Amino acid sequence: MNASATGTVPVASVSGTLALIGDVIVPTLAKGPIIRRRRVVGIAERHDLVGRAVRRMQRLHQHYGDGPLLMRIPARKQAVLLAAADVRRVLDESPEPFAADSSEKRAALSHFNPDTVLISRGEDRIDRRRFNEAVLDTGCPMHRLAERFRTVVEEEAGAVLARARRGNTLDWEVFGDAWFCVVRRVVLGDAARDDRAFTRLHERLRAYANLAFMQPIRHELRDRFLARLNQYLDDPEPESLAAIMARTPTTPRTAPDHQPPHWMFAADPAGMTTFRTLALLAAHPEHEERARAEAAGDDPTLPFLRRCVLESLRLWPTTPMLLRQSRSDTQWDTGVLPADTGILIYAPFFHRDDRHLPFAHRFAPEVWEPGGAAEAWPFVPFSAGPVRCPGEDLVLLLTSSMLAALLRGGRYREQQPTRIAASTRMPSTLDNYTLRFSVDTAARHAA
Ligand code: HEM
């Protein structure tokens, strides 16, 4: 190690750097950062790729200590965080000096919303963040339109159950389609419910975004997408986010129509997470019974189901790589991290580090209770600090409401119960696209 408090932070060897790239970065990018490549998600589950990545990170931590650890990459400064306290520091001190608009994120997100808050800086960022928080009701567990959104979810869950009843099965094709109906109705209103072509257009742009720098921006496609979006926004339906947008003050910096594409893209992993949570509940009868009791009760905030969703995101974070870029030299216990260094926080390492977390690989919703382990350790599915996801409350409202509606309508058993069972450790990836449930919709029940 070549670290000293006055020199630079430790630098990984060439072999350490290659191992990090090969075991952690390449498999994560291969799954698709902006839209998932389904086949690769399946491969990741079968070959325990995330488990392997976590073990690689543990070995690097054992070898180099707390870090940050600079990688040995020509013509690029890139570091990885290895200590829980450093994760907190970097996220708390974002966006200055640790900027959220890393060059990779800029390259990727510019394919469909170049003025989204996540890749904005300075005054633009402040203004767009304000706008996002105002429309999404950040910090409120029940969005001001919660009642309407719960009705939307209930109706779409009804459609899912009707289709499931026909074959007594529920798969991703049925669930995913219904989920995007929810998303379009919540963001744009009922007129967009069946506009699957709009979602497909967005998906095409997201597929180009997966390749970030390696693909030119498809301006004509992006303009077509934004024009279609603006047709909805120009004539906003009451009780949709579009209607709240129309009432929320804007400035010349806000770029309001560049914010919903992020919301709709980010709602995709919320659907995946809901489906994975259903699998967790199906495999854990005690938790399932508690969830059923809650679904049948009269507390619309559904606190236990929200914890189950958060726990599903701890086990399988949908944003595994949190990226920052340091704007200036920063001082650490082990030395100086130079300005303009990219910083990687690999969430699965902190979520599944079984050297510190006895529950690392099991379903443990209790860690999200007040005073639970989540308060003492950086579980960061929604990030943390000033760049924390402003959609978290809305996500938890929609996902928990969907789970409650499904639980009220039937019983679910995963058709390949060996993939996920209470008695075994949870897999390091759970391929939501191939999850398939047997459904007993006759078994309507209270708790
Ligand atoms: C399971 C679902 C979701 C997860 C796990 C998630 C997670 C995240 C994470 C980790 C970040 C921060 C990235 C960083 O620190 O660099 C983020 C940012 C953001 N999310 Fe989410 N998100 C989800 C869904 C949503 C939804 C549905 C919306 C909107 C309705 C949303 C809106 C945003 C916005 C606007 C940002 C940028 C914040 C900023 O740059 O200040 N997210 N999200």
Side-chain angles (χ1 to χ4, degrees):
M1 279 193 265
N2 53 357
S4 79
T6 49
T8 56
V9 296
V11 182
S13 63
V14 171
S15 62
T17 300
L18 289 176
L20 184 60
I21 293 173
D23 285 347
V24 180
I25 297 178
V26 169
T28 309
L29 294 180
K31 272 193 287 177
I34 305 295
I35 187 166
R36 294 290 185 266
R37 298 182 181 99
R38 295 179 179 212
R39 215 165 59 83
V40 186
V41 176
I43 293 171
E45 178 179 333
R46 285 193 297 282
H47 296 279
D48 187 29
L49 294 186
V50 176
R52 190 186 163 105
V54 169
R55 291 189 290 279
R56 169 63 60 198
M57 295 288 294
Q58 289 173 330
R59 285 202 289 278
L60 286 170
H61 188 207
Q62 254 148 2
H63 187 74
Y64 290 100
D66 273 356
L69 180 66
L70 267 173
M71 296 164 69
R72 204 175 282 274
I73 305 177
R76 185 189 162 87
K77 287 178 278 182
Q78 178 66 48
V80 61
L81 298 191
L82 297 171
D86 293 350
V87 172
R88 289 209 196 84
R89 172 177 173 190
V90 166
L91 296 180
D92 285 348
E93 296 177 20
S94 298
E96 282 297 334
F98 303 113
D101 58 318
S102 68
S103 32
E104 302 80 10
K105 270 191 249 175
R106 270 182 179 280
L109 296 180
S110 296
H111 280 270
F112 57 94
N113 48 346
D115 291 330
T116 183
V117 60
L118 188 55
I119 51 171
S120 305
R121 283 188 194 177
E123 292 298 317
D124 285 350
R125 158 167 274 285
I126 292 168
D127 188 61
R128 291 167 191 169
R129 176 82 197 186
R130 168 201 59 79
F131 182 80
N132 272 273
E133 289 188 2
V135 178
L136 301 174
D137 280 353
T138 307
C140 304
M142 298 302 276
H143 190 277
R144 78 196 87 162
L145 293 180
E147 209 171 312
R148 168 68 191 155
F149 293 165
R150 286 172 57 224
T151 304
V152 167
V153 167
E154 194 78 40
E155 288 172 4
E156 298 303 337
V160 168
L161 287 162
R163 288 176 72 181
R165 212 166 281 138
R166 274 178 234 142
N168 293 325
T169 58
L170 172 59
D171 63 14
W172 175 260
E173 299 318 315
V174 169
F175 179 80
D177 183 56
W179 182 257
F180 270 100
C181 290
V182 170
V183 173
R184 288 189 297 268
R185 292 176 72 185
V186 163
V187 178
L188 304 173
D190 287 355
R193 180 189 187 272
D194 296 320
D195 196 349
R196 291 175 176 83
F198 179 64
T199 300
R200 279 197 298 274
L201 190 55
H202 196 191
E203 286 173 351
R204 278 178 70 192
L205 288 163
R206 290 170 59 199
Y208 290 125
N210 260 353
L211 294 165
F213 306 101
M214 290 182 286
Q215 277 286 339
I217 292 189
R218 301 300 201 278
H219 289 278
E220 184 271 331
L221 206 60
R222 188 174 81 186
D223 292 348
R224 192 141 55 91
F225 169 72
L226 287 172
R228 182 81 186 113
L229 173 66
N230 273 298
Q231 282 174 359
Y232 289 113
L233 298 183
D234 288 346
D235 185 16
E237 247 181 57
E239 299 205 295
S240 65
L241 294 182
I244 299 182
M245 286 175 67
R247 296 197 295 269
T248 303
T250 57
T251 75
R253 294 180 183 278
T254 312
D257 60 338
H258 281 233
Q259 311 314 316
H262 185 108
W263 307 342
M264 287 186 285
F265 133 66
D268 187 357
M272 296 174 198
T273 300
T274 309
F275 215 45
R276 289 180 181 136
T277 311
L278 192 61
L280 281 168
L281 290 171
H284 294 81
E286 269 178 42
H287 295 305
E288 183 191 350
E289 285 319 307
R290 186 166 169 197
R292 283 188 182 285
E294 186 172 85
D298 54 10
D299 181 352
T301 66
L302 302 168
F304 180 67
L305 276 165
R306 284 182 190 225
R307 277 181 219 133
C308 293
V309 171
L310 286 165
E311 179 61 356
S312 171
L313 282 164
R314 178 184 71 79
L315 291 166
W316 303 299
T318 53
T319 311
M321 296 204 297
L322 297 176
L323 302 173
R324 294 290 184 269
Q325 204 143 344
S326 63
R327 291 250 177 271
S328 54
D329 286 359
T330 48
Q331 180 69 51
W332 303 76
D333 286 348
T334 52
V336 175
L337 188 72
D340 212 27
T341 300
I343 299 174
L344 164 64
I345 297 168
Y346 183 61
F349 169 53
F350 295 98
H351 291 195
R352 292 272 199 131
D353 190 350
D354 47 18
R355 299 169 309 164
H356 301 290
L357 309 170
F359 52 83
H361 305 297
R362 68 174 174 82
F363 177 47
E366 66 277 8
V367 307
W368 296 94
E369 283 170 8
E375 287 179 10
W377 191 257
F379 300 140
V380 285
F382 288 102
S383 188
V387 181
R388 185 187 188 102
C389 176
E392 175 175 352
D393 299 294
L394 182 59
V395 167
L396 294 178
L397 169 70
L398 297 176
T399 53
S400 62
S401 302
M402 176 56 92
L403 286 162
L406 291 178
L407 291 175
R408 281 194 294 272
R411 286 193 175 269
Y412 307 82
R413 286 293 165 258
E414 222 262 288
Q415 288 186 348
Q416 276 182 281
T418 47
R419 277 171 81 183
I420 158 170
S423 55
T424 57
R425 57 192 273 156
M426 296 298 110
S428 65
T429 299
L430 183 63
D431 174 6
N432 53 291
Y433 301 111
T434 53
L435 280 177
R436 208 178 163 85
F437 297 91
S438 301
V439 187
D440 179 1
T441 50
R444 285 163 184 276
H445 51 74

